[in-house]
């Protein structure tokens, strides 16, 4: 069975602060995919990143960065210099490799509020 | 990325009626589509996997007679909520995959309200 835990239900920061969203996962698969999605109030899921389990390199994309630690089964997401437009629910998700990230197990989500 | 379109985006229906939600892959052929449900302030839960031309595979606890899924073509899957009740009110979102070993792309979601 697979499980994704996002312990932070809600986070509130002031604009320009850095914020890290935690994600811990459980799986018996030796290879798998990890994802982060953003869900604004409109509801659609905005894809942010997909990471294969054998690639432990951290990644940076603009103000976003991801820290993948296989030893601790964590895939944390950091937003640097947060902006009001970053306010949304963020989901971490896990998928077995054989489905390549199409059959997802989602975490409970973290509601991020960035205040001006 | 590929485009997946869901229709309608919002629907309100009376209790006891049926509602059909469409999920279309606009610029690719989707051999497999997935249907998720999200209750307010909760996570997304996979309901079923539909493969073109075959019966859908439902997750444990999902009533297949209530949530009818049809994937008759490579670009269209439909989810019909039969005899809807207020507890079926939720956000339904689909995703589509081109083939094995490719990621899936999500539609915009459908907010169903049963009154």
């Amino acid at each position: 069975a697979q499980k994704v835990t996002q312990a932070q239900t809600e986070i509130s920061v002031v604009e320009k602060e850095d914020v890290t969203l935690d994600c811990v996962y459980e799986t018996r698969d030796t290879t798998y995919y990890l994802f982060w999605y953003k869900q604004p109030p409109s509801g659609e899921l905005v894809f942010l990143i997909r990471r294969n389990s054998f690639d432990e390199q951290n990644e940076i994309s603009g103000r976003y960065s991801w820290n993948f630690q296989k030893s601790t089964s964590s895939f944390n997401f950091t937003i640097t210099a947060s902006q009001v437009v970053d306010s949304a629910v963020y989901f971490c998700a896990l998928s077995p490799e054989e489905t390549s990230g199409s059959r997802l197990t989602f975490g409970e989500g973290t509601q991020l509020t960035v205040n001006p | 990325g590929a485009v997946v379109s869901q229709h309608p985006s919002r629907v309100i229906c009376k209790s006891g009626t049926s509602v059909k939600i469409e999920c279309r892959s606009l610029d690719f052929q989707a051999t497999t589509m997935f249907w998720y449900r999200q209750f307010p302030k909760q996570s997304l839960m996979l309901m079923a996997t539909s493969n073109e031309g075959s019966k859908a595979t439902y997750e444990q606890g999902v009533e297949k007679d209530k949530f009818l899924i049809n994937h008759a073509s490579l670009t269209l899957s439909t989810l019909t909520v039969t005899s809807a009740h207020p507890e079926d009110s939720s956000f339904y979102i689909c995703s589509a995959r081109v083939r094995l070993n490719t990621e899936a792309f999500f539609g915009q979601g459908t907010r169903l309200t049963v009154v």
Side-chain angles (χ1 to χ4, degrees), chain B residues 7-23:
Chain B
H7 178 81
S9 57
R10 290 179 178 271
V11 59
I12 300 173
C13 72
K14 290 185 177 180
S15 188
T17 62
S18 295
V19 174
K20 181 184 284 188
I21 302 169
E22 294 186 347
C23 179

Side-chain angles (χ1 to χ4, degrees), chain A residues 46-74:
Chain A
V46 179
F47 169 81
L48 296 178
I49 189 171
R50 178 176 77 158
R51 175 51 52 87
N52 190 294
S53 57
F54 57 72
D55 180 4
E56 289 194 66
Q57 275 193 332
N58 292 328
E59 183 159 337
I60 298 175
S61 176
R63 295 185 298 109
Y64 297 166
S65 62
W66 291 269
N67 185 334
F68 178 28
Q69 297 282 343
K70 202 168 182 179
S71 60
T72 57
S73 297
S74 66

Side-chain angles (χ1 to χ4, degrees), chain B residues 22-37:
Chain B
E22 294 186 347
C23 179
R24 292 182 184 274
S25 55
L26 296 186
D27 52 359
F28 66 100
Q29 293 185 324
T31 56
T32 305
M33 291 186 174
F34 302 85
W35 288 95
Y36 294 83
R37 178 170 57 186

Side-chain angles (χ1 to χ4, degrees), chain A residues 33 35 37 39 41-45 47 50 91 97-109 111, chain B residues 34 36 38 41-46 49 59 91 93 95 97 100-104 106-109 111:
Chain A
Y33 284 92
F35 298 78
Y37 285 90
Q39 187 178 43
S42 54
E44 79 273 19
L45 283 178
F47 169 81
R50 178 176 77 158
F91 289 99
E97 190 197 29
E98 65 266 21
T99 72
S100 260
S102 49
R103 189 176 184 280
L104 300 171
T105 299
F106 285 87
E108 294 298 321
Q111 170 71 61
Chain B
F34 302 85
Y36 294 83
Q38 183 182 29
K41 297 190 182 297
Q42 293 189 26
S43 187
L44 292 89
M45 301 296 294
L46 180 65
T49 302
E59 296 298 305
F91 187 68
I93 190 165
S95 67
R97 182 179 73 191
L100 194 62
N101 290 327
T102 63
E103 66 190 82
F106 282 88
Q108 309 96 312
R111 198 166 299 280

Side-chain angles (χ1 to χ4, degrees), chain B:
Chain B
V3 179
V4 176
S5 178
Q6 225 176 299
H7 178 81
S9 57
R10 290 179 178 271
V11 59
I12 300 173
C13 72
K14 290 185 177 180
S15 188
T17 62
S18 295
V19 174
K20 181 184 284 188
I21 302 169
E22 294 186 347
C23 179
R24 292 182 184 274
S25 55
L26 296 186
D27 52 359
F28 66 100
Q29 293 185 324
T31 56
T32 305
M33 291 186 174
F34 302 85
W35 288 95
Y36 294 83
R37 178 170 57 186
Q38 183 182 29
F39 290 108
K41 297 190 182 297
Q42 293 189 26
S43 187
L44 292 89
M45 301 296 294
L46 180 65
M47 297 175 66
T49 302
S50 74
N51 294 297
E52 187 266 337
S54 63
K55 288 185 178 179
T57 302
Y58 290 83
E59 296 298 305
Q60 193 172 8
V62 177
E63 299 174 59
K64 60 181 180 181
D65 293 330
K66 181 167 186 61
F67 298 99
L68 300 179
I69 292 173
N70 183 281
H71 193 160
S73 79
L74 284 171
T75 59
L76 175 64
S77 175
T78 60
L79 167 66
T80 300
V81 182
T82 62
S83 187
H85 290 285
E87 57 265 31
D88 298 324
S89 298
S90 187
F91 187 68
Y92 294 88
I93 190 165
C94 70
S95 67
R97 182 179 73 191
V98 176
R99 56 186 179 277
L100 194 62
N101 290 327
T102 63
E103 66 190 82
F105 299 93
F106 282 88
Q108 309 96 312
T110 297
R111 198 166 299 280
L112 169 64
T113 303
V114 184
V115 298

Side-chain angles (χ1 to χ4, degrees), chain A residues 2 25-34 51-56 68 70 94-98:
Chain A
Q2 303 195 319
Y25 60 92
E26 295 176 30
T27 179
R28 293 182 181 176
D29 295 323
T30 53
T31 53
Y32 46 88
Y33 284 92
L34 293 163
R51 175 51 52 87
N52 190 294
S53 57
F54 57 72
D55 180 4
E56 289 194 66
F68 178 28
K70 202 168 182 179
L94 170 67
S95 171
E97 190 197 29
E98 65 266 21

Side-chain angles (χ1 to χ4, degrees), chain A residues 13-29:
Chain A
V13 299
V14 176
E15 207 170 17
K16 297 185 183 177
E17 283 185 19
D18 298 346
V19 57
T20 295
L21 309 181
D22 297 332
C23 173
V24 175
Y25 60 92
E26 295 176 30
T27 179
R28 293 182 181 176
D29 295 323

